[in-house]
Amino acid sequence: MDSSKKIILVTFIVSFYMFSCVSSTEFEVGGEDGWIVPKSKTLGDAFNQWASDNRFKVGDTLRFKYTKDSVLVVSEEEYKKCKATKPQLYSNNEDTVFKLDRPGLFYFISGVSGHCEKGQKMIVKVMETESSTESPPPSSSSSSSSSSSSPPSSSLPASTPKAKKSNAYKTAVQFSSSGFVVFAVLVVSVFGLV
């Protein structure tokens, strides 16, 4: 194989590798303050303001850090009433991570009596991606409440930070399994031909 064909093949491999990566971001809800009761009535919509300052995409995660509190994923009706009888998810482990697994709206409230009414609630909107032609069915709301000591496996909307680095906890790059396998085969092929 002559050197120009090798260069073209290597360029193709690198390009394919770059497009097989999937980026996701973990957001720390509420920034430095975390998941707390807003300090004043004027800050009652602080979490919705925080959520609107960010762009969430499928695959992102939300990290809720709190003390002596809880976080619930609820329906729109439960969100409006600040009362959950059948939350989709309940966690009180002081460090809860939710993966945003579909586009659409997700509703969060505190499970501690009176906290939601004081503004400890949030709506997160996960954007449709250009590549998604149909969205998966929404998560079931009929699951019973449960306590969790490890991050739950439930998913929630994903986000991409607008321009505020303090909102993003960390960004991770993951490789699609098929893309990685193809990349590995191509690399072996190229080096086998050298």
Side-chain angles (χ1 to χ4, degrees):
M1 181 179 264
D2 65 21
S3 64
S4 65
K5 288 183 180 179
K6 287 181 186 177
I7 291 171
I8 292 171
L9 184 58
V10 169
T11 303
F12 173 75
I13 291 170
V14 170
S15 298
F16 185 79
Y17 169 76
M18 296 300 286
F19 289 109
S20 69
C21 295
V22 177
S23 175
S24 64
T25 302
E26 182 174 280
F27 291 87
E28 192 164 324
V29 174
E32 294 176 9
D33 293 333
W35 181 242
I36 61 169
V37 176
K39 293 177 174 48
S40 71
K41 291 191 185 237
T42 59
L43 296 174
D45 206 29
F47 290 106
N48 284 331
Q49 181 60 50
W50 175 87
S52 70
D53 287 343
N54 293 285
R55 291 262 187 232
F56 301 96
K57 67 183 185 309
V58 175
D60 287 345
T61 55
L62 301 175
R63 180 177 292 272
F64 291 81
K65 288 192 171 191
Y66 48 90
T67 305
K68 296 181 182 177
D69 210 320
S70 60
V71 61
L72 286 72
V73 179
V74 297
S75 68
E76 180 180 9
E77 184 179 331
E78 291 171 319
Y79 173 87
K80 288 177 180 177
K81 292 180 179 179
C82 278
K83 188 169 206 149
T85 54
K86 293 184 179 180
Q88 296 167 15
L89 184 78
Y90 170 82
S91 182
N92 65 352
N93 67 8
E94 299 187 358
D95 188 9
T96 303
V97 177
F98 295 99
K99 183 176 182 185
L100 305 173
D101 65 348
R102 62 173 173 80
L105 298 175
F106 291 85
Y107 300 90
F108 302 89
I109 64 172
S110 168
V112 173
S113 180
H115 285 197
C116 178
E117 292 82 357
K118 292 178 182 174
Q120 193 176 1
K121 60 184 185 173
M122 177 176 68
I123 301 171
V124 169
K125 181 178 183 178
V126 178
M127 305 305 291
E128 293 255 359
T129 59
E130 292 176 16
S131 63
S132 69
T133 55
E134 59 184 71
S135 51
S139 348
S140 169
S141 61
S142 62
S143 62
S144 61
S145 302
S146 64
S147 177
S148 174
S149 59
S150 63
S153 61
S154 290
S155 301
L156 294 178
S159 325
T160 310
K162 263 186 178 174
K164 298 181 179 182
K165 290 184 181 178
S166 64
N167 288 336
Y169 184 68
K170 66 181 177 181
T171 300
V173 176
Q174 302 168 339
F175 304 101
S176 67
S177 57
S178 61
F180 186 72
V181 169
V182 170
F183 174 72
V185 169
L186 289 173
V187 167
V188 169
S189 299
V190 168
F191 288 113
L193 296 173
V194 175

